[in-house]
């Protein structure tokens, strides 16, 4: 297997959310950074907006990644309420740049309840590649955009601001799994072994009895702003690792 370029990311923040399928008022988070979340992160850094659905969809199609959880953090549920009957909430702006009215329906008034899940005080390392590598935007351009983004970056939801630079640099590796095994651990890492997830296709399987396949719905229909797709990823653990060195 020939080596390829892999971008290593370190995701650390007081709060992070890797949005799963929304069920009624429950905004859940997946256990690890998802393909749609990373697509949005790169797209935001590159200056894309929600109206560029074709560009975002193509970026998502090209994205391949593996994840190691260096520090699991804890699950936090934010209980939110809003009274939509207040006059100043009668109209809102959509991601399409159009004003929409909430008047005229039973859902337009009254107190609405939301429960949003977040990972608090967690740390994740991501190995990311783009296929084909020759198509634009290239991986090196994504890395540069993360260092000097077109807009402020957030990890899943807008309140989730990263607490350190995201890009660790580009390395060469035979697989994303290899890259995530060899990547340095966060200096805030918990004791191992560390949970890890990587794609079923195009990547080595874990040793027999050391992992399992789990289903994820981690893609997004960017034109309609809904989750879509279903695939399987390996879920296993990484036994050994060295802490990162140097300054952030």
């Amino acid at each position: 297997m020939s080596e390829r370029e892999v971008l290593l990311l370190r995701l650390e923040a007081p709060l992070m959310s890797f949005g799963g399928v929304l069920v009624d008022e429950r905004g859940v988070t997946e256990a690890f950074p998802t393909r749609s979340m990373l697509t949005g992160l790169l797209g935001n850094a590159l200056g894309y907006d929600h109206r560029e659905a074709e560009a975002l969809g193509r970026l998502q199609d090209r994205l391949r990644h593996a994840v190691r959880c260096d520090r699991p953090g804890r699950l936090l549920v934010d209980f939110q309420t809003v009274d939509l009957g207040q006059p100043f909430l009668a109209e809102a702006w959509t991601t399409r740049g159009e004003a929409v009215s909430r008047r005229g329906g039973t859902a337009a008034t009254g107190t609405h309840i939301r429960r949003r899940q977040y990972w608090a005080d967690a740390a994740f390392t991501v190995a990311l590649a783009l296929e084909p590598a020759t198509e634009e935007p290239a991986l090196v351009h994504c890395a540069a955009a993360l260092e000097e983004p077109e807009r402020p970056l957030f990890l899943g939801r807008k309140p989730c601001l990263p607490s350190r630079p995201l890009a660790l640099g580009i390395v060469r590796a035979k697989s994303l799994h290899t890259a995530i095994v060899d990547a340095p651990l966060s200096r805030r890492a918990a004791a191992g072994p560390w949970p890890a997830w990587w794609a079923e296709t195009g990547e080595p399987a874990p040793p027999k009895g050391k992992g399992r396949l789990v289903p994820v719905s981690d893609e997004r229909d960017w034109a309609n702003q809904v989750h879509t797709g279903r695939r399987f990823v390996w879920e296993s653990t990484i036994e050994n690792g060295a802490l990162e060195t140097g300054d952030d």
Side-chain angles (χ1 to χ4, degrees):
M1 183 183 295
S2 61
E3 291 187 339
R4 59 175 169 172
E5 288 190 335
V6 176
L7 173 60
L8 296 179
L9 306 179
R10 176 66 43 71
L11 307 186
E12 294 185 6
L15 295 175
M16 286 181 273
S17 184
F18 315 128
V21 178
L22 184 68
V23 180
D24 296 327
E25 84 282 359
R26 294 177 61 249
V28 301
T29 180
E30 297 288 358
F32 59 93
T34 59
R35 183 177 287 178
S36 60
M37 177 265 174
L38 292 170
T39 299
L41 177 67
L42 294 181
N44 200 32
L46 291 162
Y48 296 176
D49 64 37
H50 283 285
R51 286 168 290 188
E52 297 180 78
E54 185 175 347
L56 287 164
R58 181 56 188 160
L59 184 59
Q60 179 175 263
D61 290 343
R62 295 175 59 210
L63 194 149
R64 308 288 185 269
H65 75 295
V67 181
R68 184 187 65 211
C69 179
D70 294 354
R71 182 183 178 90
R74 63 186 180 88
L75 187 64
L76 181 149
V77 179
D78 186 22
F79 180 78
Q80 305 171 353
T81 64
V82 58
D83 181 7
L84 295 180
Q86 299 181 72
F88 70 90
L89 292 176
E91 291 187 346
W93 285 92
T94 68
T95 56
R96 302 182 300 277
E98 301 172 356
V100 61
S101 174
R102 288 194 175 97
R103 297 184 179 92
T106 57
T109 59
T111 300
H112 284 229
I113 294 174
R114 296 290 185 269
R115 292 175 175 86
R116 297 288 184 258
Q117 293 182 351
Y118 298 88
W119 292 113
D121 196 29
F124 295 85
T125 300
V126 177
L128 185 151
L130 295 175
E131 297 179 355
T134 55
E135 187 175 326
E136 293 293 338
L139 197 64
V140 64
H141 298 143
C142 292
L146 289 172
E147 293 181 357
E148 296 185 17
E150 291 291 326
R151 291 192 293 269
L153 302 179
F154 51 89
L155 303 180
R157 295 195 181 107
K158 290 180 181 178
C160 303
L161 305 180
S163 58
R164 56 162 291 160
L166 299 177
L168 298 179
I170 293 178
V171 300
R172 296 194 66 84
K174 290 186 176 180
S175 69
L176 293 171
H177 175 258
T178 300
I180 210 68
V181 168
D182 294 341
L185 289 160
S186 167
R187 280 173 285 177
R188 302 178 61 251
W194 300 275
W197 301 265
W198 65 93
E200 176 190 13
T201 56
E203 293 286 322
K208 187 175 181 180
K210 295 290 186 179
R212 61 173 185 151
L213 285 171
V214 295
V216 294
S217 296
D218 69 340
E219 297 183 355
R220 192 170 188 84
D221 177 342
W222 293 94
N224 296 298
Q225 295 295 309
V226 294
H227 279 83
T228 186
R230 189 172 186 264
R231 65 191 182 102
F232 284 87
V233 300
W234 287 112
E235 181 181 68
S236 185
T237 57
I238 293 173
E239 304 292 331
N240 302 303
L243 294 178
E244 66 177 344
T245 59
D247 297 329
D248 291 342

